[in-house]
Amino acid sequence: MEFRTRPDGTKYPLAGGGGKGGGKGGGGAVLAVLAAVALAGGGGAVGAGGLGASGGGGTAAGSVPGNLSRDVVDSLPGRDLSTRRAEGRKSARQGRANEAWSRVKFKELNRKIETGVACVASATGRVRQFLTRTPCTSLAGMMLLVGDGQGNAAVVSVVRIGFRTAAQASAFQEVEDVGGSGDVRPLPVSAVLDLAGVEITGQHYHIRRDGAAARVIGEADVATGTIDREVLLALADIGSYLPIR
């Protein structure tokens, strides 16, 4: 099994090409309804301005109605993706969402928040079994749609789950990190966004500590157009640091 190292030095297993993936019950942790927002024309692939080669993200089968203005700011012109990701994370930690997305040449189009979610009812597989034995104390989620102004958009899911103790949170992460172990159950993105074939796959995944006894899970997938895999991983990372509000 291949492993990847997180920024804090801990390692997690890769499944299905990088991320949780591997049959995580049809997707990652999406806990909210997002209105259909849109995107017209463009269709260009993310890749310019140091964001890596185009094409890795795949495309959605559906279409996004409406229009997206092309006034997306690049706040770090000429910088590579590693720098953009780190700077986006810093901005997200400070609650500056617009600045955070502009670090990677994206713009937030919409978001929806859901709090007070039932833990066991929202989970699948081994994750659900774990939460049955070890109830969480809180569960909140946020789903966002972000776009690059050139016909490409991504769904970003952020979930925060809290426990009574640090040991319980660590034990949860050990289960959550493994491909095929289940997940906090997503809503069907294709239906929520009215986009056929769009879902959170678990392939672009970032989990982090939030205090001693909580974890925040960020995931990202293409809503429409084409987005490089490394960019999706950066979006998941940055999203995981945004406050759920």
Side-chain angles (χ1 to χ4, degrees), residues 193-208:
L193 296 178
D194 194 25
L195 292 171
V198 178
E199 63 177 12
I200 299 291
T201 64
Q203 298 299 312
H204 318 104
Y205 165 78
H206 183 84
I207 187 169
R208 69 171 183 87

Side-chain angles (χ1 to χ4, degrees), residues 42-216:
V46 174
L51 289 189
S54 64
T59 57
S63 60
V64 186
N67 183 48
L68 168 65
S69 64
R70 297 174 181 270
D71 58 344
V72 175
V73 175
D74 178 4
S75 61
L76 292 172
R79 304 297 182 88
D80 62 21
L81 181 57
S82 177
T83 299
R84 291 174 179 275
R85 180 170 174 168
E87 292 300 316
R89 191 186 303 126
K90 288 180 185 178
S91 298
R93 278 175 171 154
Q94 296 165 352
R96 299 201 293 262
N98 291 339
E99 180 180 275
W101 298 125
S102 75
R103 298 306 198 195
V104 284
K105 298 202 297 187
F106 275 78
K107 175 182 179 180
E108 185 176 314
L109 306 178
N110 209 337
R111 71 166 66 188
K112 182 68 179 181
I113 310 297
E114 187 171 325
T115 59
V117 183
C119 297
V120 174
S122 300
T124 60
R126 287 180 54 207
V127 172
R128 180 169 186 162
Q129 294 172 11
F130 175 87
L131 292 173
T132 300
R133 300 188 306 269
T134 311
C136 73
T137 58
S138 62
L139 183 61
M142 174 170 67
M143 192 161 75
L144 309 100
L145 188 67
V146 298
D148 69 352
Q150 300 192 37
N152 308 296
V155 177
V156 180
S157 164
V158 183
V159 171
R160 184 188 187 279
I161 185 166
F163 293 90
R164 289 189 301 105
T165 68
Q168 289 178 347
S170 295
F172 166 79
Q173 182 170 342
E174 289 179 4
V175 177
E176 174 71 16
D177 270 342
V178 177
S181 64
D183 209 338
V184 180
R185 181 182 300 158
L187 294 173
V189 178
S190 59
V192 169
L193 296 178
D194 194 25
L195 292 171
V198 178
E199 63 177 12
I200 299 291
T201 64
Q203 298 299 312
H204 318 104
Y205 165 78
H206 183 84
I207 187 169
R208 69 171 183 87
R209 293 186 180 186
D210 185 18
R215 294 294 184 269
V216 180

Side-chain angles (χ1 to χ4, degrees), residues 4-12 85 89 93 206-208 237 241:
R4 184 179 292 276
T5 302
R6 301 188 184 88
D8 63 5
T10 60
K11 294 182 181 295
Y12 63 95
R85 180 170 174 168
R89 191 186 303 126
R93 278 175 171 154
H206 183 84
I207 187 169
R208 69 171 183 87
D237 183 357
Y241 285 91

